[in-house]
Amino acid sequence: MPDKTTQPSMDQFIETLAPLHIYPLWKQEGLLIRRPTTEAVPYLWPYGPVRERLMEAGRLISAEEAERRVLILKNPGLNGKPAATARLYAGLQLVLPHEIAPAHYHSASAIRFVVEGSGAFTAVDGERLIMQPGDLVLTPAWSVHDHGNETDTPMIWLDGLDLPLVNGLECSFFQPLDTKAQKLTRSDDESERQYAYGQLRPSWVNWTKNYSPLAKYPWNATERILLDALKDGVAGSPTDGILFEYSNPITGGSVLPTMACYAQLLPPKFHSDAHRHTTSAVYHVVRGSGTTIMDGQRIEWNERDTFALPGWAVHEHINNASEPAMLFSFTDDPALKALGFYQEQSENKQG
Ligand code: 1HN
């Protein structure tokens, strides 16, 4: 038996550890957590007031001066961190007529979902992608990209990046180019003509990159697929309705290694089952209006609003209208799935 009189107390013992930067595991809190917890909260950014501030920013600073004229959608639970969920960044970007946003590249991956305007472009690795509302544009990790608007109308899109994840992993690199606009090496929308229809693959290309070779997913094709499924009366998924994933035409998998994108149609009078998954998501309302209940909180959404679904939050979607509703979303599914951290659970309805 140890001699209690000469034995130091536990508190005294722990005090002696600090100078050595060691600590007893049996006293450590918050290390092994029973289930996912997040500081992020369910939250909606209504389009009207955000758009108003974005246009005001347009009067205060040029796209070139700002490099990117963006209002970041900051989740109010994340203490000012530039993130919509713990692992996803979102922002709304404005490019006014005859502006450019200069070329750069980074190790973070990005997606753009066009909200308004018509005909401005993003150039990605030598290819200009001419953008229309609802188009999805990829700027994968390390790809050189710049934006330009040679039209007479403002262009606004939603940016989605994996930056909180990349920064959390301490793997961020960023490099501006010496020239403002990159050299174009391909025809405008070339990848769309080669890949967007999904039935044929250019035989001369040996695509080995870990992201989709299709840089732009045009809305007209996406919308047709959603509406045809509705017309066909497909049931879709009980938790998500008619949900399609934007896919890499080479692998059939996600468009980017860290983020997946989805187009979703909620049929009229649809009330989904509730579920939760470890992945977090940012939703953007393309058409219609409805309600998403997240951890018991009802979020009412309308066209062009954006909302955040924190990881592991129980959620269900409701469309009470007589018209279909359409949602775009991006998530961190592929990152979590690659690491074996994807978990899903069905739950009882909350409302
Ligand atoms: C970025 O490169 C863009 O290229 C937009 O439009 C937003 C936010 C953080 C880091 C890089 C863009 C960004 C970004």
Side-chain angles (χ1 to χ4, degrees):
M1 283 289 283
D3 177 354
K4 287 258 176 183
T5 54
T6 57
Q7 194 77 356
S9 74
M10 181 64 80
D11 289 348
Q12 285 168 331
F13 167 69
I14 290 172
E15 273 171 32
T16 67
L17 304 182
L20 296 170
H21 301 280
I22 51 180
Y23 196 76
L25 174 58
W26 67 90
K27 289 283 186 188
Q28 182 62 52
E29 286 172 14
L31 183 61
L32 200 51
I33 302 162
R34 282 187 179 268
R35 58 191 66 81
T37 56
T38 180
E39 302 278 293
V41 294
Y43 194 73
L44 176 133
W45 293 267
Y47 188 60
V50 178
R51 180 190 193 280
E52 205 177 289
R53 301 311 190 285
L54 196 51
M55 297 309 289
E56 204 174 316
R59 293 186 283 275
L60 290 171
I61 192 166
S62 71
E64 196 175 334
E65 203 184 340
E67 290 187 40
R68 298 293 186 264
R69 189 199 289 110
V70 178
L71 293 179
I72 304 169
L73 307 185
K74 288 193 172 189
N75 189 296
L78 291 174
N79 297 316
K81 273 194 211 141
T85 76
R87 291 175 299 261
L88 296 170
Y89 161 103
L92 282 165
Q93 178 160 181
L94 167 67
V95 184
L96 287 169
H98 315 296
E99 283 193 318
I100 60 142
H104 68 203
Y105 61 92
H106 35 72
S107 57
S109 298
I111 63 104
R112 335 248 156 234
F113 189 81
V114 181
V115 182
E116 60 173 284
S118 170
F121 68 84
T122 286
V124 182
D125 278 346
E127 179 188 4
R128 264 189 187 181
L129 312 157
I130 313 299
M131 300 191 281
Q132 303 298 334
D135 289 357
L136 168 67
V137 170
L138 308 179
T139 57
W142 304 103
S143 64
V144 173
H145 53 284
D146 52 88
H147 312 294
N149 185 353
E150 293 167 356
T151 78
D152 291 324
T153 49
M155 192 86 188
I156 297 177
W157 61 75
L158 175 71
D159 288 316
L161 287 95
D162 55 8
L163 265 172
L165 177 70
V166 174
N167 287 344
L169 295 172
E170 300 182 340
C171 292
S172 178
F173 295 86
F174 166 76
Q175 188 62 48
L177 242 60
D178 296 334
T179 52
K180 281 178 195 155
Q182 67 182 292
K183 201 164 147 272
L184 299 173
T185 55
R186 306 178 73 188
S187 306
D188 292 358
D189 293 321
E190 193 177 299
S191 71
E192 179 187 347
R193 285 186 297 281
Q194 290 175 0
Y195 291 101
Y197 306 105
Q199 339 183 65
L200 302 174
R201 179 180 62 78
S203 67
W204 63 94
V205 181
N206 178 27
W207 188 264
T208 55
K209 295 177 178 165
N210 65 354
Y211 55 84
S212 173
L214 176 58
K216 183 179 88 182
Y217 292 70
W219 176 251
N220 55 11
T222 306
E223 185 183 40
R224 187 168 358 103
I225 290 167
L226 292 175
L227 290 174
D228 283 350
L230 179 69
K231 212 187 296 167
D232 289 338
V234 307
S237 140
T239 51
D240 291 294
I242 297 170
L243 178 75
F244 283 89
E245 181 176 359
Y246 289 84
S247 69
N248 173 336
I250 303 296
T251 63
S254 61
V255 292
L256 294 167
T258 51
M259 292 188 291
C261 295
Y262 297 89
Q264 181 170 8
L265 184 146
L266 306 177
K269 309 292 175 202
F270 176 81
H271 189 153
S272 82
D273 286 351
H275 73 156
R276 64 164 104 193
H277 33 66
T278 45
T279 49
S280 66
V282 173
Y283 287 85
H284 179 78
V285 185
V286 184
R287 187 183 299 173
S289 57
T291 307
T292 296
I293 309 176
M294 296 181 263
D295 278 344
Q297 200 178 322
R298 294 179 77 88
I299 299 271
E300 313 281 345
W301 41 259
N302 290 294
E303 237 166 72
R304 296 178 170 177
D305 294 346
T306 303
F307 61 94
L309 170 71
W312 209 235
V314 178
H315 58 284
E316 64 201 77
H317 304 293
I318 304 162
N319 177 14
N320 276 328
S322 50
E323 293 298 314
M326 294 182 195
L327 300 171
F328 166 79
S329 59
F330 63 96
T331 77
D332 43 30
D333 293 28
L336 295 205
K337 284 177 179 163
L339 298 170
F341 296 150
Y342 183 78
Q343 291 290 322
E344 185 179 352
Q345 220 172 55
S346 56
E347 292 286 322
N348 293 328
K349 276 199 175 68
Q350 308 159 94

